[in-house]
Amino acid sequence: MSVSVAMATYNGARFLEKQLDSIVSQTVPPSEIVICDDASSDGTASIVGEFAARSPVPIRFERNAVNLGYADNFFKAASLTTHPYIAFSDQDDIWRRDKIERSLAAIRDGGAVMAVHTATLIDAAGEPVGEMRRHIDGSRTVPPCTLEPWTMFWGFAQTFDRRLLDLLPHDRATRGSDSNAPENALGHDGWTSFLAGSFGKIALLDEPLVGYRQHSANVFGFQNRNFVGKIRAKMADEPSRVRRVAWLVDIALHRLTMLDAHAADDPRFVAPVAHWRRIHRHCAARRDLNTSKRALGRVGHLAVNLARGTYRHPSDGGLGVDRLMEDATLGLLGHLRFGAN
């Protein structure tokens, strides 16, 4: 099992060399590192050139003439890799020495198409400041179509079978909207999470195999919230919460329609189509509850949703208990705070 590292860089000179050092020092080193730079204006190119000259791992460096944005830059890097497995890499983290070894072992042992893991949060100086679990509550392998449908594992934690990227085009129109920010196209890691979760097993590793650096120049930082914290954040902006509930119907329909277009010709798409048809139905039921103008209407919708399995565990085809708790609290009571009748 050989793996390519696909790294996207943009003005990341400050931490880049330490990240590259941690990659080439792996107990199972990658077969290549492909770096796509998104028109940086700092010393990124010089650092990569100097590092490549002494690296024991072949490094391919491509510099974009124009800025593609982080997601499309990652997709470009992935498209240039040549080995059966791909590990996404940020430009500013530090990999534990056995990240590749543990990830490939989890894929092999579980018959999975992707392995993901937890992380240690580190500061700009590399000191631990917390942990990031991101949907991982123990080491296990999960079957396809059994995770909460909007589960997204961050790219730096992913190692996956490159054949996932051959299932569908990954242009922005095909990827559709991000479930958390529907004004944006789904990112590279959201897309690969969707593909892996729909078409294959995912190996979850409860091991912090990366030091995920938090600093002022992060494209995305990490905010660790429990369920109560998430509910409080949604309470602070109830109209936005309801809009997101409605958006999810459109996103689920987009995924269902996209997958269904291939189901007649490719049996691999049949089970994902059935799964996303259920998810679309459940999302529509939640929208009807959360947008109802009458209190009794909301209670009625909740009862129907319970009877129809909307809130069953995701492994049983539902949306899970967190969505039940949200609808039973904010869904039923939110209208009182915002003046509905």
Side-chain angles (χ1 to χ4, degrees):
M1 298 174 73
S2 58
V3 62
S4 300
V5 172
M7 177 185 287
T9 60
Y10 178 67
N11 289 340
R14 181 181 177 190
F15 301 108
L16 180 55
E17 187 170 1
K18 288 185 177 180
Q19 170 68 309
L20 290 171
D21 274 329
S22 74
I23 294 173
V24 301
S25 300
Q26 291 287 297
T27 54
V28 174
S31 297
E32 64 178 350
I33 303 171
V34 176
I35 303 172
C36 283
D37 183 71
D38 212 14
S40 292
S41 59
D42 65 357
T44 295
S46 296
I47 290 172
V48 172
E50 293 171 5
F51 192 93
R54 66 177 188 276
S55 172
V57 175
I59 294 178
R60 176 175 178 177
F61 182 68
E62 296 284 333
R63 192 169 189 178
N64 302 330
V66 296
N67 187 280
L68 300 180
Y70 79 95
D72 288 331
N73 196 31
F74 267 111
F75 281 123
K76 179 179 177 180
S79 73
L80 296 174
T81 62
T82 60
H83 290 268
Y85 293 90
I86 297 172
F88 284 137
S89 173
D90 292 344
Q91 63 189 358
D92 48 9
D93 300 331
I94 297 177
W95 287 12
R96 204 173 83 178
R97 291 192 69 244
D98 58 347
K99 169 180 160 65
I100 293 178
E101 179 181 0
R102 297 293 300 130
S103 297
L104 291 180
I107 290 172
R108 181 187 63 242
D109 295 346
V113 298
M114 175 182 283
V116 295
H117 55 76
T118 60
T120 300
L121 302 178
I122 60 175
D123 62 18
E127 295 299 318
V129 295
E131 65 173 4
M132 190 207 77
R133 308 194 64 79
R134 195 72 181 179
H135 311 294
I136 298 175
D137 56 2
S139 294
R140 57 197 173 97
T141 299
V142 295
C145 302
T146 58
L147 287 170
E148 197 274 340
W150 312 113
T151 298
M152 190 276 284
F153 300 104
W154 285 8
F156 69 82
Q158 297 182 8
T159 301
F160 59 92
D161 189 323
R162 66 168 298 115
R163 290 175 295 184
L164 283 175
L165 296 178
D166 297 330
L167 288 166
L168 290 163
H170 49 258
D171 59 280
R172 296 187 183 193
T174 302
R175 295 188 333 250
S177 296
D178 187 315
S179 60
N180 289 309
E183 67 276 10
N184 297 330
L186 185 64
H188 64 292
D189 41 10
W191 181 246
T192 48
S193 295
F194 157 67
L195 292 174
S198 297
F199 288 92
K201 298 178 183 179
I202 299 180
L204 309 181
L205 277 170
D206 195 356
E207 301 179 36
L209 299 180
V210 164
Y212 177 41
R213 199 183 299 271
Q214 306 293 286
H215 57 89
S216 59
N218 277 110
V219 174
F220 293 102
F222 178 72
Q223 193 171 29
N224 205 351
R225 287 178 177 158
N226 58 20
F227 176 74
V228 174
K230 292 176 182 177
I231 288 292
R232 285 175 175 168
K234 291 177 178 180
M235 287 177 63
D237 191 356
E238 173 69 3
S240 292
R241 184 194 72 82
V242 174
R243 284 195 298 272
R244 181 175 184 269
V245 170
W247 289 331
L248 293 180
V249 182
D250 296 334
I251 296 172
L253 179 60
H254 171 81
R255 294 186 179 184
L256 170 59
T257 303
M258 171 182 59
L259 294 166
D260 196 34
H262 297 269
D265 301 319
D266 191 334
R268 294 175 299 176
F269 284 76
V270 174
V273 166
H275 171 67
W276 281 97
R277 183 169 285 118
R278 286 192 300 270
I279 297 306
H280 176 253
R281 183 173 66 247
H282 293 329
C283 289
R286 290 195 67 223
R287 176 199 58 199
D288 293 344
L289 184 158
N290 282 276
T291 57
S292 174
K293 300 300 184 183
R294 298 177 60 249
L296 287 179
R298 293 190 179 207
V299 173
H301 281 299
L302 184 65
V304 170
N305 292 355
L306 283 165
R308 291 180 176 175
T310 298
Y311 307 111
R312 289 176 185 160
H313 192 275
S315 62
D316 292 326
L319 300 180
V321 68
D322 283 0
R323 301 291 74 76
L324 170 60
M325 295 301 294
E326 180 182 335
D327 287 352
T329 53
L330 298 181
L332 293 185
L333 302 177
H335 71 292
L336 297 177
R337 299 173 62 238
F338 290 90
N341 296 316

